[in-house]
Amino acid sequence: MSTPLSHAYIISSADTQLREEKSLELSMGLLCEKGGSSPCMKCSQCKNALGGTNPDLITISRKTDDKGRQRRELLVDQIREMSSDSWVRPQAADKKVYIISDADTMNQAAQNAALKLLEEPAAYAVFILLVSSAAALLPTVRSRCVEINLRGEEKREENPLAREYIALAEKGDRAGLCSFCSHCEELSSQELSELLISIQIRLCDIIAFREKSSLNRASAFRLSSLCRLSQEYLRMNVGAKHILGLICVQTIETP
Ligand SMILES: [Zn+2]
């Protein structure tokens, strides 16, 4: 991904999941200790971002009202809060990244507060605005941001093996998992690594309640660490067969 460096981005797509994935990838690239144009997926910044535990990656989303329904707008107070938080230096990374979900639901007041922030941000702060359509944002806000339009990528296939793995884990299907893992032995280590990343992205969605799943959060966290451990083994040149054996045995908890 060769996105120009900026302190503010707009990611637009009608596909909520796609824009969230893209923002995670972009944030990891910004926070990554290796500092390349794409995330290394190995350093603690990348891993924590994937696991949803990076203190320097903050997501702002619409609040719920007292009946538990999501509000229609992002509130100006939330933008002000983010603004003052952005003056607190990052905890561990060189940057502090804010993802603003549904930024197109900011009303005029919220957008004006955002504009003020984008005009004079803290040097280390980066803001990523996620929208269905950038047209809903004030031209002055847009002019401060690098726009990434994902139209055309929306039909991108997600890794079908990742979907299959999650489905097997949800069902607790040991036999199915065994044959899945032996089938995966044919993958190259690059392909296996990509599969593990796709699984982690899906787990992230489950952890963040962006995706419905019968896996509870604790299981999703456990599987996410299993993926991380597997990635580590893969880097240490442990054979795919052994790693898949580990995944086969440890995915489904014994009651
Ligand atoms: Zn990294």
Side-chain angles (χ1 to χ4, degrees):
M1 186 181 64
S2 56
T3 307
L5 277 180
S6 171
H7 70 273
Y9 299 86
I10 293 171
I11 297 180
S12 65
S13 167
D15 181 335
T16 317
Q17 188 175 343
L18 182 62
R19 59 188 199 230
E20 281 173 1
E21 275 178 29
K22 192 73 182 181
S23 69
L24 181 63
E25 183 192 335
L26 177 60
S27 321
M28 284 196 293
L30 291 162
L31 294 166
C32 180
E33 288 165 14
K34 304 273 158 26
S37 58
S38 55
C40 73
M41 305 282 185
K42 296 173 188 172
C43 71
S44 62
Q45 291 299 332
C46 284
K47 286 189 204 164
N48 292 343
L50 262 182
T53 56
N54 193 317
D56 296 316
L57 176 58
I58 299 122
T59 300
I60 315 288
S61 49
R62 282 177 288 160
K63 291 191 167 161
T64 46
D65 63 17
D66 41 17
K67 293 200 176 87
R69 290 174 307 207
Q70 196 170 39
R71 285 180 187 276
R72 281 178 33 219
E73 292 182 334
L74 266 170
L75 306 174
V76 63
D77 286 348
Q78 293 180 269
I79 305 298
R80 291 200 185 118
E81 225 170 88
M82 172 180 79
S83 175
S84 40
D85 184 77
S86 75
W87 293 100
V88 181
R89 294 196 61 83
Q91 286 192 33
D94 294 333
K95 291 199 165 61
K96 200 164 176 183
V97 179
Y98 293 86
I99 296 177
I100 306 159
S101 299
D102 307 317
D104 41 3
T105 65
M106 287 190 288
N107 61 21
Q108 192 89 11
Q111 287 205 43
N112 282 326
L115 178 61
K116 238 162 97 187
L117 181 59
L118 296 179
E119 280 170 347
E120 281 175 78
Y124 45 78
V126 181
F127 303 91
I128 305 174
L129 285 66
L130 308 188
V131 296
S132 313
S133 160
L137 297 172
L138 294 174
T140 40
V141 170
R142 288 180 72 172
S143 71
R144 304 261 161 202
C145 304
V146 167
E147 287 194 36
I148 304 168
N149 191 336
L150 300 179
R151 202 180 312 141
E153 285 184 45
E154 281 152 7
K155 299 238 169 346
R156 188 193 55 162
E157 286 289 305
E158 62 172 327
N159 190 327
L161 288 175
R163 199 186 320 145
E164 193 181 335
Y165 173 80
I166 300 282
L168 291 165
E170 284 171 337
K171 281 186 277 188
D173 181 352
R174 276 174 206 282
L177 195 68
C178 271
S179 68
F180 172 85
C181 287
S182 66
H183 170 72
C184 287
E185 282 173 18
E186 289 161 21
L187 299 178
S188 67
S189 37
Q190 177 64 29
E191 286 167 329
L192 182 56
S193 166
E194 280 165 15
L195 170 60
L196 290 168
I197 291 167
S198 301
I199 293 174
Q200 273 193 299
I201 288 176
R202 297 212 62 188
L203 290 169
C204 254
D205 284 334
I206 294 169
I207 291 165
F209 300 116
R210 285 192 293 257
E211 193 166 324
K212 274 210 166 104
S213 169
S214 54
L215 285 175
N216 58 29
R217 278 184 118 190
S219 308
F221 269 119
R222 194 177 55 78
L223 293 181
S224 180
S225 338
L226 178 60
C227 285
R228 217 147 46 209
L229 181 67
S230 303
Q231 291 265 39
E232 240 155 72
Y233 285 158
L234 203 55
R235 278 193 300 278
M236 286 155 54
N237 287 324
V238 176
K241 209 172 174 160
H242 293 284
I243 294 171
L244 288 158
L246 177 81
I247 294 174
C248 183
V249 172
Q250 297 211 351
T251 294
I252 298 163
E253 271 179 308
T254 22

